[in-house]
Amino acid sequence: MVNFFHNGARGCRHLFFPCSLVGNARLRYIDFMNLEAFVLGCGGMMPLPYRHLTSVLLRRDGDLFLFDCGEGTQVSLRRLNLKWKKIDAIFISHTHADHITGLPGLMMLSSQVDRDEPLYIYGPPKVADYVESSRKVLDMYINYPVVVKEIIAPCVVHEGKDFYIKAFPLNHTKPCVGYTLEELDRPGEFNPEAARALNVPVGPLWSKLQAGQSVTASDGSTVTPEQVMGAKRSGRKFSYVTDTMYIPSIAPAVQGSDLLICESMFSQDMEDQAREKKHMSARQAAAIARDGQVKQLGLIHYSPRYTDKELDLLLQEARNVFPDTVLTRDRMVFDIPYVD
């Protein structure tokens, strides 16, 4: 589902419906953890007045993750009224200028506010050199911890309580990686009939079972969550791929993504040039989405040769292969809901 930004925040709430409201129906642990992708820039190679360079912010409840930081990133953050000072980690795909030149300004901007939490920056080799040289040459004032980690994909680069972010290798003119954020499985449905049959009284013990804890029933027996909970439900998956030639290994890496943001630098008639420059066409991005069985594809990183009107050609070529495709635009927002 795609929409343009509107003010208002959505948080994480856990609802427990009283038995009197649901009768004998199965109870579901309802998780309203929001997951949204903000396209801060969709252009490639050079900024245009109406198209900033590639950058995507992922907001997962209170966590903010930035994927690439092209020129103009701060502008879109401001216009969307996003809490840029709360960015937890930045994931750089590679060290070409159109994906990283916004980073020094963002780092310096974060020093203008009180910040105690570290800023993590991940990327392939040379990202640490870029950060350190920028700090020295610009004589940056940084009043918070900055942790730079160079990675060799494939690997898990960042983890939270119920999610992790992985990097996987791409094929570009310099070391380049794609990223996926994957959530762990969620609890299944709670079966009150099974709980009653096992002599578990209504009340706090039901909540403990839904939280994954075993309890002692009124007859002294031990009841485990597996006895009263349904099958686990899958979490969500977001994937980010840019600056690479088409390689078959991308589809398995993004397999099952709820949203895939993928580069589409060229139209189909320029695939020879795309291969030479180690980029992809919109048609090839769509083939990855199809083969990876993703739910929605957002095209990004367009060549400046294409005007906004001419981007419709890229969209049509992609939709011929994968119908659930959209053109991303600067400051476009994707809601990524749970499937069940």
Side-chain angles (χ1 to χ4, degrees):
M1 174 182 179
V2 59
N3 61 276
F4 284 90
F5 181 80
H6 56 86
N7 266 328
R10 288 176 293 159
C12 177
R13 294 177 292 151
H14 306 294
L15 303 185
F16 179 83
F17 294 103
C19 185
S20 59
L21 296 181
V22 298
N24 290 326
R26 294 190 174 189
L27 299 181
R28 176 171 290 184
Y29 175 86
I30 300 183
D31 190 343
F32 287 103
M33 178 85 71
N34 72 305
L35 184 63
E36 300 160 297
F38 299 81
V39 179
L40 305 180
C42 64
M45 193 167 75
M46 59 184 285
L48 300 175
Y50 49 87
R51 195 185 298 165
H52 295 318
L53 291 175
T54 295
S55 182
V56 175
L57 184 83
L58 194 66
R59 180 166 68 185
R60 184 177 182 272
D61 200 33
D63 295 326
L64 296 178
F65 304 114
L66 184 65
F67 294 86
D68 278 338
C69 192
E71 188 175 340
T73 295
Q74 286 189 55
V75 177
S76 286
L77 285 170
R78 290 283 191 171
R79 291 185 64 179
L80 288 170
N81 196 29
L82 292 167
K83 296 180 179 179
W84 46 267
K85 63 183 179 181
K86 296 294 186 181
I87 292 175
D88 300 273
I90 300 175
F91 302 86
I92 301 297
S93 62
H94 63 299
T95 54
H96 273 157
D98 55 339
H99 293 261
I100 200 170
T101 49
L103 188 55
L106 191 62
M107 291 172 61
M108 289 188 288
L109 182 66
S110 296
S111 292
Q112 305 305 309
V113 296
D114 292 332
R115 176 176 181 141
D116 297 321
E117 302 82 6
L119 172 65
Y120 293 92
I121 301 174
Y122 302 95
K126 292 195 175 181
V127 71
D129 288 345
Y130 177 80
V131 171
E132 186 58 29
S133 61
S134 296
R135 291 180 67 170
K136 288 181 179 179
V137 172
L138 299 176
D139 193 22
M140 283 189 194
Y141 168 70
I142 302 294
N143 59 357
Y144 59 92
V146 176
V147 181
V148 184
K149 296 186 177 183
E150 294 188 340
I151 59 177
I152 303 296
C155 61
V156 173
V157 298
H158 193 85
E159 293 182 89
K161 184 179 71 172
D162 53 1
F163 72 93
Y164 58 92
I165 297 175
K166 291 179 65 175
F168 55 93
L170 300 175
N171 189 341
H172 194 42
T173 55
K174 61 167 47 183
C176 186
V177 298
Y179 294 99
T180 62
L181 180 145
E182 298 184 53
E183 294 179 330
L184 303 182
D185 289 341
R186 297 171 292 141
E189 295 179 339
F190 177 74
N191 188 335
E193 290 182 341
R196 291 192 187 97
L198 293 167
N199 298 307
V200 181
V202 177
L205 295 184
W206 281 22
S207 297
K208 288 185 177 181
L209 286 166
Q210 291 180 78
Q213 302 175 39
S214 296
V215 302
T216 301
S218 56
D219 62 1
S221 62
T222 298
V223 178
T224 65
E226 291 75 18
Q227 293 176 273
V228 296
M229 300 292 293
K232 290 184 177 181
R233 294 169 292 156
S234 61
R236 295 162 293 187
K237 183 174 180 178
F238 165 81
S239 295
Y240 175 82
V241 175
T242 188
D243 282 50
T244 180
M245 64 184 296
Y246 173 83
I247 50 176
S249 60
I250 299 176
V254 303
Q255 181 76 31
S257 295
D258 295 273
L259 174 64
L260 166 63
I261 299 293
C262 188
E263 83 141 85
S264 54
M265 191 79 170
F266 295 107
S267 55
Q268 185 173 340
D269 64 328
M270 298 191 68
E271 285 184 356
D272 286 343
Q273 184 173 341
R275 187 179 306 108
E276 179 182 336
K277 296 178 179 291
K278 293 197 171 183
H279 279 288
M280 282 196 292
S281 68
R283 183 191 70 85
Q284 289 171 322
I288 288 171
R290 177 199 62 205
D291 297 343
Q293 299 179 308
V294 308
K295 295 180 178 65
Q296 186 174 35
L297 169 65
L299 302 179
I300 202 168
H301 199 267
Y302 316 122
S303 168
R305 72 175 57 240
Y306 301 107
T307 65
D308 269 8
K309 185 176 181 179
E310 291 170 334
L311 291 180
D312 288 339
L313 170 63
L314 303 185
L315 179 62
Q316 188 56 54
E317 290 180 351
R319 284 182 170 172
N320 288 340
V321 177
F322 187 76
D324 201 356
T325 301
V326 298
L327 290 170
T328 67
R329 306 282 190 176
D330 285 13
R331 293 171 294 282
M332 183 179 279
V333 183
F334 292 84
D335 289 320
I336 308 174
Y338 290 113
V339 176
D340 52 7

